């Protein structure tokens, strides 16, 4: 039986190696609150991965990671510049405002889910030094974006350069960090601190872990503050080793990279298949594991009848979103393609 | 080899049944954000356990549970009345203040770690209706307390009656809920809503789970608000079923009750053994799984040399805290007792 | 000598009657914190003016009035729907976010400085009931708007109807309330609660007082909460009678209406004069005491040389803003007109 | 007719010179938001008074001054160490918690309304560096205290030395600053920055102004942040010159010093008179303009019948508080003394 769930990668389960790592930690005793060996090992792994000194806070959700990161980079009277479609702006119930004690998210437009340098350049100095105005303090970029596109290193560097030039910090929401990483073939260092990122929300849950994400702090002047914020926000797990063990396994033997490469591959397979079905088209330039696709309304209805799940009804009625995960199989994709093809109206001739 | 860790029950691992439940959930797909079957099942189990309609929010830490519960029960200009030694007052880095947007914790004294009815009665009306004063809004009781004592049902009822009589809600911090429950032999319903508790922080992590706690909402008028607060606080896990599965297993076949009874029994064994060692004395009336004990300073030094870990140095230099867990064995306790006996100075004659 | 200040109405002084009222209160004793006779009298006057039961909080600034009003109408996870050009969105350094503990201002576009019913209708239900989304909670309309336009009663009623239909409250930012009122010739009741306004920020400082504004609460279920918020925000003046006395005099013998009518008249005189100067044009449909005007850049430079002050450089380089006040004289306006005419380039022929 | 109001100094009116200063400013135009000449002049006067470079924020209430000052000196996860009887702890409805986004006020005991060095020394390092604990960040001293006592320079220096030694800042709540100043005969510089004070809430309203207080910033690294906080809190008055003019007149020709010396003198006259009335006693060592006094309950009842107003019912039923103001006359005091004497029970013999 095929899996017909394409609604989100967060519907997937957990990689077997990660479950095994948890089982291994289940016995024995350990120092609580992240002072244990596994948490230390994860920090070491991330230092190796990112080729630099850095600090790590392990948290339970992406919203917490983003909220903590942003709170450390903006005062309450600051502005967070972000894309209008970004998760922090739309999908976290105001978590950034809560964690930051009321900073303002300023949403900017941009094609293909990306911030545009010109728009950003116009925003970074708005109201600077005027007490009547919130103060632009941090740019948040999402990599991969909400539309499945990815920033190139050049694009990232240009944006963070504009930010830095105006005295702003840069946050990267990496809920799908690894999907972007394998997509552009960059090193983790190049796609983050070498591109000017100060704090990264390192997503892992969508890509194989259970409930473990990391705030990766390149600007280590923020670490002490972040540790208090983490505890105060109820994000300092007492048995932290069980979140650390997930990340430890995730970063072992390239599991994280393989999972993301697989999910991306399934999205590419889906895009490739769609290209030969008349009346369908992929929107934008997706390069990760999610696609926005235009389908006939009758096709959409038919897919729903067939038991496929996916997002729709938030946009134009002919637009749907398909997301692949590390557990999606070629057969799952082909099953979806077959259903779309079968349901698509014959081309006009 | 004995475990010589008596510093906290949060150093323990995880019950095997809970690991198995996670493994079982690892494959397959599920709806995210708590709309899955396992989360629904946990809610059902808790309704059975507490014999009433109630709502449940599963969160990752006790600080988050307490913060969310208190925020739902007090406005920002409210006062939370709590014991001076309570965890919310001392050990959460201001999480209640953060979650509640600045409510004030008013700490009250009380012997044996417990709030006293007279002290509470004097506090519940302080400043009522005066705009210059924060408004008493909620009483928070800790069951079992930070000193290992437990409130009887009569004591709880008297406190919540005082609260209710003055229009205040009652929160119970149940980080060691089950330890108290089995200690007094009450039903969950009697120890909570029948005793006047509006929202319970249902602790599980110290007693066998990995990173799953529950906010159990008896006053269901608070549920909608709590769901927004949960998301906004980064506590709505996308793969919620992996926290739910922990609680599901925890509540199956009396695992939670057995774990707590075992931990309590180990503390009782320790207390019993100490009674026959001259120069030692147990402080207060511990009834759960932690003991405060007076030892000679030389004995304390000796235990440290022997590799025992426990809390000290926060109080009188002759005072230490021993905590047992569901994983503590009789041999572990006897090993500690033997070490104390060996190290204790001979009685004066 | 003419006054050449057209930058803002908040550069004006204070009406003589208001100074006299303060002098009259200077001796004697009075109960503090607004329990005095003068404060009570102001509330009575406002009840008469608005023809209904209502409550009043006197505060020192418009930002405080707006912040308190909005905080009472939205939870922290709520959204405040407002025009993108609104003062609360741009010019209060995040005061609404501060007072509301992190609510989100959602800025909407709209011609002529006004919210459009269609745009509002699309926004009031966005994300309703989804925990991932901030919840639309209040619409804030500015009357008169930041561009000098005013809503008609029909327009107000349509907007508040959309709000109410979706369960949202309505706040009116009336920093220039009286300018709008005399402009459309409505009664205060018709322009507020009869049009669906729940809380009004009743501006007075720009129109003649020194530092007194009022939060006029039509939805009296919010009053108790507002009194705590007022004190907590440092807005409950101990010698409240000195702010009350300003409003008392302001509302006596139609001073407030006369001041606003005068200021509006001066803006109309300016607009009328500009109509006959080639190369200038008034933007939008100003009906209150401020005009946005297109001038040749050379004309703008010339006016600056002549010592006129006004806002520019925030928009298109040919756009300036002129604001008249209750103290602006016909001679002041004619002086400005003469200067513009003298500086304007001859029309092409 | 005598004034029989001894409830608070905030029931007094306004010094005539201050009203005159307001009248003088009523005409003409000025730049808004504190960029005017009068505001600049006040800053200059305060620099002269305090003999140092400093920055000034003029605000409308003492709660706002305290809230802003404390918010600049503590992070949200910080602790403000203060006396249990302090105004910030009891009488501001949680304003410090609001302004600071949830910092914790830790109340310390101390005789005579004063913090004791030993108690403070034990508190400044509590929990330092532990993420579970709020971090001691600022000590707030009240000068004069809530009980009418005053700190000597030696006492102040000792307290601020303890604070500074542990890395904490010092805030002075000077709601009755001038009463303390003239009481101990110190210079303003000696009683503030030379004694280690970083930010002062410079009270003026109780001592002669209408609604003008100043945050005097000695630690100028906090000024930029404070300006944003001031605006964001609705405390940046548009017509700031009308608050500045009050302070300008207040600081002219020693008006502030004379007013405070007069009020203190009236309290001393009252204390002196009470000393010869059997059955009455002054509590503590008042040195400013307020006295706590023990009276027979029958005497208290009699005074109330005679129309005197004063605080009682908050403490022991035989305890009352009398406050004198700059407007209290010798005749007012003698009238009160006569009434007490007449009402006092004859001494037992």
């Amino acid at each position: 039986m095929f899996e017909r769930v394409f609604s989100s990668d967060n519907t997937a389960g957990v990689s077997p190696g990660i479950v095994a790592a948890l089982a291994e930690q289940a016995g024995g005793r350990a120092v609580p609150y992240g002072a244990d060996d596994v948490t230390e090992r994860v920090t070491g792994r991330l230092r190796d991965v990112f080729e630099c000194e850095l600090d790590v806070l392990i948290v339970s959700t992406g919203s917490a990671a983003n909220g903590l990161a942003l709170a450390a980079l903006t005062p309450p009277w600051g502005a967070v510049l972000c894309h209008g479609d970004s998760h922090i702006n739309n999908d976290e119930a105001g978590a950034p405002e809560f964690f930051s004690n009321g900073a303002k998210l300023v949403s900017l437009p941009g094609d293909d889910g990306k911030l545009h340098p010109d728009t950003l350049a116009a925003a970074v100095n708005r109201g600077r030094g005027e007490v009547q105005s919130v103060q632009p303090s941090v740019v948040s970029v999402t990599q991969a974006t909400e539309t499945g596109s990815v920033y190139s290193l050049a694009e990232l560097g240009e944006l963070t350069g504009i930010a830095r030039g105006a005295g702003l910090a840069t946050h990267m929401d990496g809920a799908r960090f690894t999907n972007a990483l394998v997509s552009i073939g960059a090193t983790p260092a190049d796609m983050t601190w070498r591109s000017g990122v100060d704090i990264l929300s390192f997503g892992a849950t969508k890509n194989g872990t259970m409930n473990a994400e990391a705030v990766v702090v390149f600007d280590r002047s923020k670490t002490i503050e972040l540790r208090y914020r983490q505890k105060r926000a109820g994000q300092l797990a007492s048995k932290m080793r069980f979140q650390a063990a997930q990340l430890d396994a995730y970063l072992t033997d390239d599991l994280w990279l393989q999972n993301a490469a697989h999910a991306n591959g399934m999205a590419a397979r889906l895009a490739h298949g769609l290209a030969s079905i008349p009346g369908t088209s992929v929107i934008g330039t997706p390069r990760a594991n999610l696609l926005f696709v235009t389908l006939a309304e009758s096709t959409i209805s038919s897919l729903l009848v067939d038991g496929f799940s996916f997002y729709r009804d938030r946009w134009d009625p002919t637009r749907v979103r398909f997301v692949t995960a590390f557990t999606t199989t070629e057969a799952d994709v082909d099953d979806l393609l077959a259903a779309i093809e079968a349901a698509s109206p014959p081309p006009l001739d």
Side-chain angles (χ1 to χ4, degrees), chain A residues 33-46:
Chain A
Y33 299 120
D36 61 279
D37 295 345
V38 193
T39 301
E40 189 182 344
R41 194 159 67 227
V42 168
T43 300
R45 282 195 191 277
L46 286 167

Side-chain angles (χ1 to χ4, degrees), chain A residues 4-338:
Chain A
R4 293 186 154 177
V5 182
F6 292 88
S7 51
S8 178
D9 33 6
N10 64 24
T11 60
V14 173
S15 287
I18 287 167
V19 176
L22 290 174
E24 192 180 332
Q25 288 296 322
R29 293 271 187 160
V31 196
Y33 299 120
D36 61 279
D37 295 345
V38 193
T39 301
E40 189 182 344
R41 194 159 67 227
V42 168
T43 300
R45 282 195 191 277
L46 286 167
R47 286 179 180 160
D48 291 345
V49 160
F50 286 98
E51 304 172 54
C52 69
E53 288 301 299
L54 51 77
D55 293 308
V56 177
L57 291 87
I58 302 177
V59 297
S60 68
T61 69
S63 293
N66 287 337
L68 288 170
L70 292 171
L73 295 175
T74 179
W77 54 91
V80 178
L81 309 183
C82 59
H83 194 280
D85 291 342
S86 62
H87 201 266
I88 58 170
N89 194 42
N90 294 324
D91 300 306
E92 301 187 347
E97 289 88 344
F98 175 57
F99 280 82
S100 68
N101 299 120
K104 191 181 193 79
L105 270 64
V106 173
S107 69
L108 302 176
D111 291 343
D112 209 17
K114 298 185 195 176
L115 290 174
H116 191 281
D118 293 350
T119 318
L120 184 64
V124 289
N125 288 309
R126 200 166 288 147
R128 177 161 311 286
E130 297 172 18
V131 294
Q132 279 86 357
S133 177
V134 289
Q135 297 297 299
S137 298
V138 53
V139 176
S140 180
V141 294
T142 309
Q143 176 77 323
T145 74
E146 295 296 315
T147 65
S149 63
V150 298
Y151 291 100
S152 69
L153 294 187
E155 287 172 327
L156 280 178
E158 186 170 7
L159 293 173
T160 65
I162 292 166
R164 184 154 304 179
L168 279 70
T170 298
H171 164 249
M172 177 177 280
D173 178 357
R176 295 189 179 93
F177 179 82
T178 318
N179 301 94
L181 189 76
V182 299
S183 175
I184 66 174
T187 70
D190 282 347
M191 202 170 86
T192 55
W193 63 273
R194 283 205 196 106
S195 283
V197 173
D198 296 292
I199 304 186
L200 165 69
S201 297
F202 180 73
T205 301
K206 291 180 197 294
N207 193 39
T209 65
M210 196 174 273
N211 52 18
E213 309 267 311
V215 180
V216 177
V217 188
F218 302 112
D219 175 0
R220 299 178 79 194
S221 71
K222 300 296 185 185
T223 301
I224 291 177
E225 160 177 355
L226 277 163
R227 299 229 179 271
Y228 291 111
R229 290 190 182 274
Q230 179 186 23
K231 173 64 194 173
R232 182 171 173 83
Q235 282 290 342
L236 185 68
S238 56
K239 297 181 177 174
M240 184 65 90
R241 68 189 184 282
F242 291 100
Q243 287 169 280
Q246 297 175 49
L247 292 171
D248 190 39
Y250 182 70
L251 294 169
T252 298
D253 292 340
D254 291 345
L255 175 61
W256 61 306
L257 301 169
Q258 289 168 8
N259 277 0
H262 177 83
N264 286 5
M266 292 304 100
R269 185 182 185 90
L270 179 55
H272 184 262
L274 288 168
S276 61
I277 303 177
T280 71
S281 65
V282 171
I283 300 163
T285 55
R287 295 279 181 269
N289 65 320
L290 60 88
L291 304 180
F292 281 85
V293 178
T294 299
L295 297 178
E297 290 188 63
S298 60
T299 304
I300 295 173
S301 301
S302 177
L303 292 176
L304 293 169
V305 168
D306 291 347
F308 289 94
S309 70
F310 48 89
Y311 278 19
R312 60 189 177 98
D313 270 356
R314 304 190 168 196
W315 315 282
D316 180 303
T318 63
R319 179 175 295 203
V320 302
R321 189 185 82 160
F322 295 125
V323 188
T324 56
F326 68 97
T327 57
T328 304
T329 63
E330 294 190 358
D332 295 336
V333 171
D334 295 346
D335 171 51
L336 172 60
L337 284 167

